[in-house]
Structure formats: structure tokens, C-alpha cells
Amino acid sequence: PLEIIIDGSVIEGDSHQVDLDEDLRDMIRDHALGASIQAEILNHLPVGVELRIFAGISEATLASAPQLVIGPLTVESAQVDPATHTVSEAVISRPVVQLDGEQARIFSLPNLLTMVEVTLPSTEGNPVRMMSTDFLEVRGIVQVDVHVNDEW
């Protein structure tokens, strides 16, 4: 284990391309009423975190000027064993975020990228024990509500 004091830190994850076919993107662009993002966040870190999900079409500006920001989402710390001060059990959070029609239409953009930004809070001078097996996993699904009519 490694004992560290965190002054507060922001970590940017890797970008991931959202793979939707052109017909689906067109349907979202023309008929989206809103969307629901259902996330599942598995925290196996001894500290709570705050995270944001960025979406945009440019790798260069994804972190600095995203076209959509989801969050911040707050995630509790994993359970820590009081004797060893290491994580004994991960914590799962399942936040749901609602988007309006305009926000949902971002998913109609070709070459859409997403990225997670994680903020580790300051431990205020108190050391925490981190292991190489500690991690944070973020996954989710997007459910887009579209207006369906007989004309298409």
C-alpha cells in the first residue's frame, strides 16, 4: 500500500467514440424529445469523488469546451477497513440524469466523443492508503425519447 495526502486533483480519462449509425443519428436529430442517462459508477477508492462526463466532436476541445457536460455526479468512498485502512468493499452509485430535447440532440452528431473527468477531493492533510488494485469504473446507457409518427 501507498499512503498519500491528496491536495485535490483532477484526472481526465481517455475519450471514447459513441458509435451510432446514420439512420439513428438522423432520428435523434429530427425527433428527440429528451434523454435519460443511466450511469453505474463502481468506486473502489478510499475517497469519494466527483465526476463529470463531457461530450463533443473535437478531441482538442473535449475537456476545455465540451458541447455537453453531465454532472457533477458525487460518488461516495468505498468502504474502508478500520484496521488496515484499505478498501474492503467497493460502492456502487447509479445516478440518473435527464436531458431535454436540445441536449439529447448532441447524440445525433457524427464522430461524437465522450470523456470522464474525475475530481479527487483534498484529504486535508490526512493520509489515505491506496493500493494498486483500487479503481473507479464508469459505465452507462443513454435512452433517447423520440417522437414517433406515421409519416416516417
Side-chain angles (χ1 to χ4, degrees):
L2 176 66
E3 284 193 6
I4 60 171
I5 296 172
I6 302 172
D7 288 331
S9 182
V10 176
I11 301 167
E12 294 175 354
D14 295 331
S15 65
H16 297 278
Q17 187 157 3
V18 177
D19 187 26
L20 299 177
D21 67 41
E22 186 176 353
D23 290 341
L24 184 54
R25 289 194 319 269
D26 289 347
M27 185 185 304
I28 292 169
R29 182 193 64 229
D30 297 337
H31 304 285
L33 301 172
S36 174
I37 297 177
Q38 301 166 7
E40 182 175 89
I41 306 163
L42 180 64
N43 187 6
H44 196 280
L45 298 172
V47 295
V49 299
E50 189 174 270
L51 62 89
R52 298 187 303 164
I53 302 168
F54 298 145
I57 58 170
S58 170
E59 184 85 41
T61 61
L62 188 57
S64 61
Q67 291 169 277
L68 178 66
V69 177
I70 299 162
L73 306 173
T74 302
V75 181
E76 294 182 25
S77 68
Q79 294 181 13
V80 176
D81 183 299
T84 63
H85 303 288
T86 58
V87 172
S88 59
E89 189 174 339
V91 169
I92 299 175
S93 297
R94 292 185 176 92
V96 176
V97 177
Q98 300 298 324
L99 304 179
D100 63 26
E102 182 179 339
Q103 292 169 317
R105 282 189 277 284
I106 187 106
F107 293 99
S108 71
L109 298 175
N111 304 312
L112 183 66
L113 301 168
T114 61
M115 181 183 78
V116 174
E117 176 192 79
V118 178
T119 301
L120 299 171
S122 170
T123 59
E124 299 178 2
N126 299 311
V128 292
R129 192 169 281 183
M130 301 283 277
M131 304 283 288
S132 63
T133 55
D134 290 334
F135 62 92
L136 181 73
E137 181 179 290
V138 180
R139 59 183 159 191
I141 60 170
V142 177
Q143 177 180 327
V144 179
D145 297 323
V146 296
H147 177 75
V148 178
N149 63 39
D150 295 334
E151 295 176 17
W152 47 276

